[in-house]
Amino acid sequence: QGDDGDEDFNLTQTPTHSQVQRNLERRSQDQVNQKVSELVQFLLVKDQKKIPIKRADILKKVIREYKDVYSEIVNRAGRTLQQVFGLQLVEIDTKHHIYILTSDLPRAEGENMRRDNQTAKLGLLIVILSFIFMKGNSVKD
C-alpha cells in the first residue's frame, strides 16, 4: 500500500514457493523464458543509465500479467546476469524494493589493467554477442 505504485503487490499477497511452482506449470516455458530475457535487458539498460531499479517498475514495465511467477522470473534473470555478465542483482532498499547490479568479477590489477586496441575490440565483441544471445540468437543489423 505504498506510494511507489507497488500497492497491488504487497507482502501479504506474495505467493509461496509451491504456489509459484503451480503457477509456473500453467504458463508456457517459452513465455516465461521470454519474460526472463526481457527482464535481463531491462535491468542492463537501467544499470547502464545508473538508475536504481524499482520492483514497481519491473512489475509494471516487464512482468505485467506474470505477477504470479514474479519471484521465479527474477531468480532466473539473476542467474542469467551472474552467469553471462558476471553481475549480481542486489536489493539495496528492502522497504521500497530497490535493486542495483554489482560486478561479481574479480578486480583486475597490475598487468591485467593494460588496455590496448585488442582489449577494446574484445569488450565490444562481448557486448554484441551477449545482446545477440539475449535476443534469442538472432538480431537485425
Side-chain angles (χ1 to χ4, degrees):
Q1 333 288 348
D3 55 345
D4 60 358
D6 207 11
E7 64 275 346
D8 58 342
F9 193 84
N10 61 37
L11 293 176
T12 60
Q13 295 174 331
T14 304
T16 65
H17 180 71
S18 58
Q19 288 171 322
V20 170
Q21 292 303 319
R22 281 196 301 276
N23 292 336
L24 266 176
E25 291 170 7
R26 289 189 217 124
R27 302 279 190 182
S28 151
Q29 282 306 303
D30 287 340
Q31 292 170 325
V32 173
N33 290 337
Q34 177 64 35
K35 285 294 175 188
V36 170
S37 292
E38 288 174 21
L39 180 55
V40 168
Q41 288 176 338
F42 177 79
L43 295 171
L44 289 171
V45 168
K46 289 285 194 180
D47 182 62
Q48 184 180 20
K49 293 179 179 179
K50 300 300 179 207
I51 300 171
I53 304 147
K54 297 178 184 172
R55 180 173 70 173
D57 291 340
I58 292 172
L59 286 165
K60 194 182 319 177
K61 297 176 180 168
V62 181
I63 305 289
R64 292 191 284 272
E65 69 277 3
Y66 287 76
K67 279 190 241 187
D68 57 338
V69 290
Y70 169 84
S71 61
E72 183 64 22
I73 291 171
V74 170
N75 288 340
R76 288 185 189 183
R79 278 195 305 271
T80 300
L81 285 166
Q82 212 282 313
Q83 293 168 350
V84 176
F85 300 101
L87 296 170
Q88 184 83 30
L89 183 62
V90 178
E91 187 171 15
I92 58 170
D93 184 343
T94 54
K95 182 179 180 203
H96 296 103
H97 303 288
I98 298 175
Y99 303 90
I100 61 169
L101 296 179
T102 60
S103 177
D104 248 7
L105 301 175
R107 290 187 62 100
E109 297 176 13
E111 192 65 28
N112 294 334
M113 291 294 284
R114 194 184 88 234
R115 292 203 178 258
D116 56 17
N117 203 20
Q118 287 299 106
T119 305
K121 288 179 182 176
L122 184 60
L124 180 60
L125 178 63
I126 290 172
V127 170
I128 292 169
L129 291 174
S130 298
F131 181 74
I132 292 169
F133 170 74
M134 295 308 300
K135 286 288 191 180
N137 297 332
S138 173
V139 291
K140 295 180 181 173
D141 294 346

